[in-house]
DNA sequence: GCCGTTTTCGGCCCGACTGTTTTCAGTCG
């Protein structure tokens, strides 16, 4: 069983224990251990083998045994026992705003509630308002919360969050009483999805800003409003929290509201260890508050190098910041070009020339064209004749570009059900590079899917694997596959793995990309663009790479453009 | 359940807001 699956089980156990009224610190230990597993820098098997797992913070003796048991047998008696005695419908209740473990326990003990439907019925008949500690207002809030849970998914894509927060941030920034403002939370950390939007500002008169905020046109409902903090539901259904502080407090609040929660807990613990106390307003030492102009100064006061928001997950960044070993994270400017783009030869919207012009306009020096292969009929995949046609067209354009720009001839070649490729070897040898991707037969068993991808990842004609899990964020799970085995195969044969920068995919994700790189796999950031503006998605791919701790050297398409043709040719020669 | 310059027990991040309460518990981030 892989570490993400085990993390899921530990998270579920923590939640089940909460519902059982267990000591909250014990519950948290499960969530902490799950978090530690998700952020493992290397693959679980090797970390068990060399005993580094037991030394991982957050994983103690008891948790270690549970993890090893799950990893080796896939089963855990305590987990099955917990699931057996908790009605499955109770977990959904935790998603209702205003309902936490304590209230759920009362509902369960007093009214015998076992599901969302039970709560709804009890609320509608007025039984909840009669319970001790509840009341009419609470009952209404719970019913509203249920309506919300039923009408909306919980999270939104990072790209949607970017779009929604922009007008709000602009309105806050232009308010005359606002000094500084920033979007915080998972959006600032560039997490792949966001649960809500967090906006922070500094001002001498925060209350005036709050008054204006709750009246913005995008606001549907005011959930809470105080002098320093307000929450609203936007018309789109997304929750947006606004917080105001003084400008002196701003750096502390910026750090605090950026999170993650686990990172903050670890930082506060560190502050206490060094004789300070840290909250969202100040860092206080034995001689009073310590002034900091920005986050960098705050980190410095705690003996740490500046930690970029993308790394703040308590996945080892604090230890690295102390030791001075934080990576010099890749930036968008490091990308010299990119691969895996589509044109109107297959299912893209734009021509070769238009895609090339768009790439140049975005400061790229080369672009790899990878239209679909012949089996991808739904996507107008190219038969062999049309591949040759496209090659001629690319040659003609390259002649025009001279040394100023270059189009590379690639293909996004389907990996067939048995792991073989969709074109004959002779044709594959004519491409500058080959992206190999799965687009069909998603429902193979894990063994079959793993064997299929391992075969592709071991094929010397494959340059890089495309979107290796096939997931679509918030829409479709990735197919069942043992990614560790695929990564091992890619490392063995020198095949690269793509970070697909399409905000619906972001596949590989940051945790797997980090582990793949640790195994020696070269990463490549590709937009999978189906139109010219799809090239802008590269920013999202860079965000994933940064969250994966990658430096420019870890990513193939940072190689200087004048060396790229040679480097691709070298790879083909070693077949 | 984890963890240790208060080290094998007794803590565990901390403040805002809400609603039900007369001083606080629960939830949330």
């Amino acid at each position: 069983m892989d570490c993400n699956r085990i993390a899921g089980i530990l998270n579920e156990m923590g939640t089940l224990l909460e519902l059982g009224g267990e000591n909250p610190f014990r519950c948290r230990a499960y969530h902490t251990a799950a978090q530690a597993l998700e952020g493992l820098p290397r693959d679980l098997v090797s970390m068990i083998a060399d005993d580094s797992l037991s030394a991982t913070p957050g994983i103690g003796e008891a948790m270690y045994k549970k993890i090893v048991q799950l990893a080796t047998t896939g089963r855990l008696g305590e987990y099955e026992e917990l699931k057996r005695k908790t009605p499955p419908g109770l977990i959904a209740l935790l998603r209702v705003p205003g309902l936490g473990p304590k209230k759920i326990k009362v509902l369960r003990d007093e009214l015998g509630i076992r599901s969302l439907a039970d709560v709804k019925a009890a609320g509608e008949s007025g039984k909840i308002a009669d319970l001790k500690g509840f009341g009419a207002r609470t009952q209404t809030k719970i019913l509203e919360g249920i309506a919300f849970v039923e009408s909306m998914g919980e999270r939104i894509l990072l790209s949607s969050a970017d779009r929604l927060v922009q007008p709000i941030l602009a309105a806050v920034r232009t308010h005359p009483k606002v000094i500084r403002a920033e979007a915080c939370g998972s959006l600032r950390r560039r997490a792949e999805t966001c649960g809500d939007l967090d906006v922070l500002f500094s001002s001498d008169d925060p209350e005036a800003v709050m008054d204006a905020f709750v009246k913005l046109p995008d606001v549907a409902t005011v959930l809470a409003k105080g002098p320093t903090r307000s929450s609203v539901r936007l018309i789109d259904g997304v929750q947006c929290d606004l917080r105001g502080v003084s400008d002196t407090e701003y750096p502390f609040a910026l750090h605090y509201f950026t999170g993650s929660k686990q990172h903050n807990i670890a930082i506060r613990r560190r502050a206490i260890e060094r004789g300070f106390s840290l909250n969202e307003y100040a860092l206080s030492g034995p001689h009073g508050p310590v002034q900091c102009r920005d986050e960098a100064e705050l980190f410095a006061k705690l003996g740490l190098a500046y930690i970029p928001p993308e790394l703040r997950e308590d996945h080892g960044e604090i230890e690295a910041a102390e030791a001075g070993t934080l990576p010099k994270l890749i930036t968008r400017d490091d990308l010299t070009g990119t691969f895996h783009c589509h044109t109107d030869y297959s299912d893209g919207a734009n021509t070769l020339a238009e895609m090339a012009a768009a790439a140049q306009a975005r400061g790229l020096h080369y672009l790899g064209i990878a239209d679909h292969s012949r089996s991808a009929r739904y996507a107008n995949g190219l038969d062999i004749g049309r591949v040759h046609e496209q090659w001629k067209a690319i040659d003609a354009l390259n002649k025009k570009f001279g040394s100023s720009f270059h189009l590379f001839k690639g293909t996004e070649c389907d990996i067939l059900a048995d792991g073989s490729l969709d074109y004959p070897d002779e044709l594959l040898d004519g491409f500058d590079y080959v992206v190999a991707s799965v687009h069909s037969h998603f429902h193979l068993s894990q063994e079959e899917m793993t064997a299929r991808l391992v075969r592709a990842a071991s094929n010397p004609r494959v340059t890089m694997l495309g979107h290796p899990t096939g997931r679509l964020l918030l829409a479709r799970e990735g197919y069942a596959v043992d990614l560790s085995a695929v990564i091992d195969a890619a490392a063995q044969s020198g095949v690269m793995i793509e970070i697909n920068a399409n905000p619906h995919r972001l596949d590989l994700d940051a945790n797997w990309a980090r582990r793949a790189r640790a195994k020696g796999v070269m990463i490549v950031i590709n937009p999978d663009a189906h139109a010219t503006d799809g090239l802008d998605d590269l920013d999202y791919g860079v965000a994933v790479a940064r969250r994966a701790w990658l430096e420019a050297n870890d990513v193939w398409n940072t190689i200087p453009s004048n060396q790229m043709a040679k480097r691709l040719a070298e790879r083909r020669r070693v077949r």
Side-chain angles (χ1 to χ4, degrees):
Chain A
M1 193 177 270
D2 79 42
C3 55
N4 289 15
R5 175 90 186 89
I6 297 173
I9 288 177
L10 294 184
N11 266 326
E12 195 181 337
M13 288 179 76
T15 305
L16 292 169
L17 288 167
E18 279 171 45
L19 289 169
E22 184 55 73
N23 170 0
F25 296 107
R26 184 170 173 235
C27 304
R28 188 204 286 170
Y30 282 83
H31 295 298
T32 305
Q35 152 91 3
L37 272 185
E38 282 164 2
L40 285 187
R42 295 185 291 118
D43 74 296
L44 182 61
V45 176
S46 75
M47 289 191 71
I48 292 174
D50 70 7
D51 225 21
S52 49
L53 182 68
S54 56
T56 302
I59 297 175
E61 213 180 310
M63 215 57 94
Y64 178 79
K65 284 184 188 156
K66 294 188 215 300
I67 293 166
V68 171
Q69 200 189 331
L70 280 167
T72 50
T73 69
R75 304 195 59 173
L76 186 64
E78 286 169 77
Y79 171 56
E80 282 154 28
E81 174 65 17
L82 266 175
K83 279 221 294 196
R84 197 183 57 73
K85 66 180 196 191
T86 317
L90 281 192
I91 290 182
L93 299 191
L94 277 174
R95 278 172 39 214
V96 177
L99 273 189
K102 300 276 168 58
K103 285 210 174 88
I104 291 173
K105 185 158 167 41
V106 173
L107 290 172
R108 189 184 176 189
D109 293 347
E110 300 295 321
L111 299 176
I113 273 163
R114 300 170 65 84
S115 69
L116 213 58
D118 289 349
V119 184
K120 205 169 164 182
E124 281 165 357
S125 64
K127 283 187 194 150
I128 291 177
D130 296 336
L131 292 172
K132 185 171 163 53
F134 289 66
R137 293 275 303 147
T138 302
Q139 180 171 272
T140 309
K141 285 227 161 189
I142 289 172
L143 288 174
E144 284 169 3
I146 291 174
F148 171 68
V149 167
E150 285 177 341
S151 70
M152 278 289 300
E154 316 102 281
R155 300 187 71 83
I156 55 172
L157 295 179
L158 178 59
S159 52
S160 311
D162 277 341
R163 182 175 45 78
L164 287 171
V165 85
Q166 241 165 1
I168 294 165
L169 189 57
V172 171
R173 280 187 174 147
T174 51
H175 191 286
K177 303 270 178 148
V178 167
I179 304 166
R180 305 187 251 183
E182 195 63 69
C184 304
S186 44
L187 184 141
R188 183 160 181 248
R189 299 198 312 278
R190 308 313 280 157
E192 55 205 23
T193 62
C194 299
D196 62 2
L197 308 174
D198 292 290
V199 176
L200 171 73
F201 68 89
S202 67
S203 170
D204 297 326
D205 183 8
E207 205 159 0
V209 185
M210 289 296 166
D211 291 338
F213 168 65
V214 298
K215 292 185 191 118
L216 284 177
D218 291 341
V219 170
T221 340
V222 180
L223 300 170
K225 181 171 176 289
T228 67
R229 181 181 148 189
S230 298
S231 287
V232 300
R233 179 100 53 221
L234 301 178
I235 293 166
D236 309 65
V238 178
Q239 183 173 327
C240 179
D241 295 345
L242 184 69
R243 340 239 178 172
V245 295
S246 74
D247 206 57
T248 328
E249 295 163 336
Y250 186 81
F252 307 100
L254 181 63
H255 174 262
Y256 177 71
F257 292 125
T258 297
S260 67
K261 187 177 173 180
Q262 295 295 332
H263 169 90
N264 286 352
I265 289 173
I267 289 284
R268 284 189 177 183
R269 199 184 302 128
R270 182 180 178 87
I272 291 169
E273 284 163 13
R274 301 169 87 86
F276 295 102
S277 130
L278 177 65
N279 62 25
E280 54 260 59
Y281 305 112
L283 177 68
S284 306
H287 310 299
V290 183
Q291 301 296 316
C292 295
R293 277 169 303 183
D294 52 29
E295 284 183 322
E297 285 192 8
L298 168 56
F299 283 119
K301 292 287 192 307
L302 297 172
L304 300 172
Y306 176 76
I307 302 174
E310 294 94 328
L311 297 187
R312 299 182 196 169
E313 301 290 345
D314 196 20
H315 284 171
E317 73 278 9
I318 296 170
E319 293 80 355
E322 179 171 44
T325 55
L326 281 172
K328 184 179 182 300
L329 295 181
I330 183 173
T331 67
R332 169 66 179 79
D333 289 341
D334 290 323
L335 297 186
T336 49
T338 192
F339 300 93
H340 193 173
C341 293
H342 298 270
T343 71
D344 58 3
Y345 273 81
S346 65
D347 59 349
N350 293 97
T351 64
L352 282 170
E354 286 163 352
M355 290 300 287
Q360 285 177 284
R362 285 161 178 79
L364 302 178
H365 302 297
Y366 57 86
L367 187 70
I369 301 297
D371 274 311
H372 289 281
S373 60
R374 58 186 176 181
S375 285
R377 293 186 212 289
Y378 64 94
N380 193 25
L382 278 61
D383 61 27
I384 294 176
R386 293 180 62 230
V387 168
H388 286 287
E389 255 177 61
Q390 190 182 52
W391 285 354
K392 272 188 210 154
I394 290 176
D395 284 337
L397 282 168
N398 277 337
K399 207 166 176 184
K400 240 172 40 189
F401 295 140
S403 60
S404 68
F405 186 79
H406 194 77
L407 284 177
F408 286 108
K409 297 169 192 158
T411 171
E412 184 182 18
C413 189
D414 267 29
I415 301 172
L416 304 180
D418 66 355
S420 64
L421 297 182
D422 192 24
Y423 285 136
D425 288 350
E426 311 82 73
L427 187 74
L428 292 172
D429 286 341
F431 287 103
D432 292 320
Y433 68 99
V434 173
V435 184
S437 310
V438 164
H439 291 110
S440 62
H441 301 95
F442 292 141
H443 297 295
L444 301 182
S445 70
Q446 174 161 330
E447 289 68 34
E448 290 168 320
M449 190 59 92
T450 304
R452 178 186 188 186
L453 280 173
V454 163
R455 185 174 171 198
S458 311
N459 186 329
R461 290 187 167 78
V462 170
T463 317
M464 52 189 81
L465 287 181
H467 46 73
T469 78
R471 74 162 177 191
L472 293 176
L473 286 164
L474 308 176
R476 182 176 82 196
E477 293 276 324
Y479 27 75
V481 62
D482 176 2
L483 264 188
S484 292
V486 178
I487 287 168
D488 285 344
Q492 181 74 34
S493 55
V495 165
M496 303 178 215
I497 299 184
E498 156 183 290
I499 289 176
N500 189 298
N502 183 307
H504 291 273
R505 291 190 182 272
L506 302 182
D507 175 20
L508 284 179
D509 72 16
N511 291 331
W512 279 113
R514 188 177 177 193
R515 290 177 207 133
R517 188 56 194 144
K519 287 270 186 178
V521 175
M522 180 59 78
I523 302 295
V524 54
I525 300 176
N526 286 333
D528 199 357
H530 284 74
T532 51
D533 59 8
L535 293 172
D536 294 327
D537 290 341
L538 280 172
D539 287 332
Y540 292 106
V542 171
V544 173
R546 289 171 65 86
R547 287 172 61 81
W549 293 53
L550 300 188
E551 306 192 350
N553 284 341
D554 300 318
V555 175
W556 176 256
N557 46 328
T558 62
I559 290 175
S561 52
N562 58 7
Q563 294 174 28
M564 184 55 85
K566 188 167 135 253
R567 296 287 296 274
L568 282 171
E570 281 167 9
R571 294 184 57 87
R572 290 197 301 281
R573 264 203 303 283
V574 297
R575 275 172 199 159

